[in-house]
């Protein structure tokens, strides 16, 4: 069966997480992604290793379904080979520091001359302007994109989220831009420049907080549990941030992740009241309407928690879902990696690896009915040098010479 991106060749010059997360999605969707690495390899091959002399999980989980070649872009012969690679590529993706590709001698203007159909996609920390040349990492992007100032509890410090919204969140934004550029190329015949800044990607994911910043000018945010409001959106703990109140409630047996997140919608209050043994609250005018409960959400959730603490989070999930009450147990990383349903869905997959035996990783979250994804292991460093360079007319003897000279 053909894949959605069959015939699309991606030259992947990315490293660490933001870029590789983007190109891995493209590979899963069927593109031929050629990961171009320095002869020493992507730094994450060595970072956070759990086994000596084996590619780290950091690398393997971000580079599945790709092919790997090595090339020294500082050498003149390396630049010549890169020129040939660009001519045959549909997409070039990079996440180097600002200006790095230009300093290699490959400005956007030159790339366009080499291949007018090329889509040149980049991830940067920030857009043009004051922050343009600053370095950005995952939590820096969270800090400067509005996520940290609005995450955590009111009496605590700004807090980073465990979801990699700065890196992988930016990567998926870049996927959207690349696919849009490829689609436009089918009509225009021309490639184009695609850029996504990490700060702006996080900001896009934090838009509801900008909504609330503007609502503050008309008074306190009633759905927030905070007692005091200044002129900035406060940290609001586990409040839902939407129109329906929600909170994380303790469950048995009381472990660090024995919690369930419960949302109380207007139709849900009566069945919840009956379930927790307080049926009289369903018709009590002090409790029966969302407006009546609004100034005592803490008391409402405390009442529900008295009941949830007597049951496991999965028991609570079953009982509340039977009443059509939205809820979700707080699932730990161990529970996620061992969850049978996620395995059946392909959301968590086990992949064979030539050195580590196997490893578990996330599957492709994008499901296409006519383009199923089979997750394959990450490539060894330079594993595909012979095949890819051979297609450029570089035979085995020359490849050995280039290796000895430090070009590949």
């Amino acid at each position: 069966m053909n894949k959605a991106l069959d015939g699309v060749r991606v030259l992947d010059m990315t490293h660490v997480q933001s870029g590789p997360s983007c190109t891995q999605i493209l590979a899963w969707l069927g593109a031929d992604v050629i990961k171009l690495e320095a002869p020493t390899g992507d730094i994450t091959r060595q970072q956070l290793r759990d086994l000596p002399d084996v590619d780290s999980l950091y690398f393997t989980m971000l580079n599945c379904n790709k092919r790997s070649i090595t090339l020294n872009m500082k050498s003149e012969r390396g630049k010549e080979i890169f020129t040939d690679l660009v001519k045959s590529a549909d997409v070039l993706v990079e996440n180097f520091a600002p200006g790095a590709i230009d300093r290699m001698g490959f400005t956007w203007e030159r790339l366009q001359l080499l291949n007018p159909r090329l889509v040149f996609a980049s991830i940067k920390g920030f857009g043009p302007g004051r922050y343009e040349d600053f370095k950005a990492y995952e939590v820096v992007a969270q800090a400067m994109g509005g996520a940290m100032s609005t995450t955590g509890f009111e009496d605590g410090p700004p807090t980073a989220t465990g979801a990699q919204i700065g890196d992988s969140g930016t990567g998926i934004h870049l996927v959207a831009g690349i696919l849009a550029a490829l689609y436009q190329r089918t009509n225009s015949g021309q490639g184009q420049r695609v850029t996504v800044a990490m700060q702006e990607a996080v900001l896009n994911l934090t838009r509801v907080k900008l909504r609330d910043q503007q609502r503050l000018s008309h008074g306190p945010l009633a759905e927030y549990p905070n007692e005091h409001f200044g002129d900035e959106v406060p940290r609001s703990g586990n409040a839902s941030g939407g129109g329906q109140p929600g909170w994380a409630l303790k469950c048995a047996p009381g472990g660090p992740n024995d919690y369930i997140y419960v949302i109380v919608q207007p139709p849900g209050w009566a069945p919840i009241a009956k379930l927790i043994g307080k049926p009289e609250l369903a018709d009590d005018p002090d409790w029966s309407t969302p407006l009546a409960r609004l100034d005592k959400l803490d008391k409402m959730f405390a009442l529900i928690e008295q009941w949830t603490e007597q049951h496991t989070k999965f028991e609570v999930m079953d009982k509340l879902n039977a009443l059509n009450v939205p809820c979700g147990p707080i699932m730990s990383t161990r529970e996620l990696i061992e969850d049978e349903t996620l395995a059946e869905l392909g959301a968590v997959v086990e992949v064979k690896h030539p050195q580590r035996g196997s490893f578990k990783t996330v599957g492709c979250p994008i499901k296409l009915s006519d383009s199923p994804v089979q997750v394959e292991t990450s490539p060894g460093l330079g594993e595909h040098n012979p095949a890819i360079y051979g297609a450029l007319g570089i035979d085995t003897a020359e490849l050995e010479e280039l290796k000895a000279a430090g070009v590949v």
Side-chain angles (χ1 to χ4, degrees):
M1 182 179 291
N2 290 337
K3 296 294 185 72
L5 295 182
D6 272 351
V8 174
R9 171 167 282 195
V10 178
L11 191 54
D12 178 7
M13 299 182 74
T14 68
H15 56 288
V16 192
Q17 183 180 167
S18 63
S21 67
C22 165
T23 52
Q24 180 167 256
I25 291 281
L26 298 175
W28 280 341
L29 296 179
D32 177 19
V33 176
I34 300 170
K35 186 174 179 67
L36 193 158
E37 304 180 67
T40 53
D42 185 324
I43 191 172
T44 58
R45 286 185 183 269
Q46 302 176 41
Q47 284 186 337
L48 306 176
R49 273 180 169 160
D50 56 323
L51 294 172
D53 302 320
V54 175
D55 285 340
S56 71
L57 289 167
Y58 195 3
F59 178 85
T60 62
M61 294 177 70
L62 283 160
N63 291 282
C64 292
N65 294 65
K66 302 178 185 180
R67 298 197 286 170
S68 170
I69 59 175
T70 53
L71 188 64
N72 180 359
M73 289 289 292
K74 295 180 180 179
S75 67
E76 288 306 312
R77 181 63 177 127
K79 292 177 180 178
E80 292 173 0
I81 295 172
F82 179 73
T83 298
D84 291 336
L85 290 168
V86 167
K87 291 177 180 177
S88 64
D90 294 288
V91 183
L92 172 62
V93 189
E94 61 90 17
N95 64 331
F96 292 116
I101 296 292
D102 290 359
R103 291 190 292 274
M104 294 176 191
F106 293 93
T107 62
W108 170 227
E109 291 72 24
R110 185 181 176 196
L111 290 169
Q112 282 182 297
L113 290 174
L114 292 173
N115 182 352
R117 291 175 55 81
L118 183 72
V119 173
F120 180 27
S122 300
I123 287 175
K124 296 292 174 262
F126 308 96
R130 178 183 174 188
Y131 312 127
E132 182 174 3
D133 295 325
F134 292 3
K135 287 186 176 180
Y137 292 87
E138 168 64 46
V139 183
V140 172
Q142 289 192 33
M144 296 185 67
M148 287 186 69
S149 70
T150 55
T151 302
F153 285 84
E154 187 174 23
D155 57 354
T159 304
T161 174
Q164 303 290 282
I165 60 175
D167 278 328
S168 289
T170 304
I172 197 67
H173 279 80
L174 192 65
V175 169
I178 290 169
L179 296 181
L182 286 173
Y183 182 78
Q184 187 170 0
R185 192 182 71 175
T186 63
N187 296 316
S188 70
Q190 294 292 313
Q192 62 183 294
R193 198 80 170 81
V194 179
T195 59
V196 178
M198 294 171 69
Q199 182 187 32
E200 293 176 48
V202 172
L203 183 62
N204 184 45
L205 298 173
T206 317
R207 70 177 70 186
V208 296
K209 299 302 181 180
L210 292 190
R211 172 202 68 192
D212 293 346
Q213 176 64 37
Q214 296 170 87
R215 291 173 60 224
L216 269 176
S217 62
H218 302 289
L221 306 173
E223 76 281 5
Y224 278 56
N226 307 67
E227 293 184 7
H228 306 288
F229 289 88
D231 59 0
E232 299 174 334
V233 174
R235 290 184 281 283
S236 56
N238 289 318
S240 68
Q244 311 296 335
W247 203 255
L249 306 178
K250 296 177 184 177
C251 297
N257 288 303
D258 287 323
Y259 286 80
I260 188 165
Y261 197 86
V262 178
I263 293 176
V264 181
Q265 296 175 308
W269 175 243
I272 288 174
K274 182 178 179 181
L275 181 67
I276 66 175
K278 303 285 185 181
E280 68 278 6
L281 298 182
D283 298 317
D284 186 331
D286 289 336
W287 290 89
S288 59
T289 67
L291 185 60
R293 296 189 295 272
L294 196 57
D295 64 351
K296 46 179 170 288
L297 293 178
D298 56 341
K299 294 182 177 64
M300 179 187 74
F301 284 117
L303 285 173
I304 301 173
E305 190 171 63
Q306 289 175 10
W307 176 81
T308 62
E309 286 182 304
Q310 302 172 43
H311 307 275
T312 70
K313 59 189 178 184
F314 293 106
E315 290 171 345
V316 174
M317 176 182 68
D318 289 338
K319 291 178 184 293
L320 289 180
N321 271 283
L323 300 174
N324 202 29
V325 173
C327 65
I330 309 305
M331 296 185 71
S332 71
T333 50
R334 178 185 61 79
E335 289 169 328
L336 290 167
I337 209 167
E338 295 176 357
D339 188 87
E340 293 181 2
T341 299
L342 292 177
E344 291 169 0
L345 290 170
V348 176
V349 296
E350 187 164 2
V351 182
K352 292 182 179 179
H353 187 274
Q355 293 174 299
R356 61 171 57 249
S358 67
F359 65 94
K360 287 189 176 183
T361 187
V362 296
C364 184
I366 303 170
K367 313 294 186 186
L368 277 64
S369 62
D370 293 341
S371 189
V373 173
Q374 178 67 41
V375 179
E376 300 171 358
T377 194
S378 57
L381 180 61
E383 178 181 344
H384 301 94
N385 282 354
I388 293 169
Y389 289 140
L392 294 179
I394 300 174
D395 60 24
T396 303
E398 184 180 1
L399 192 60
E400 287 299 319
E401 292 175 2
L402 292 173
K403 184 175 181 180
V407 176
V408 298

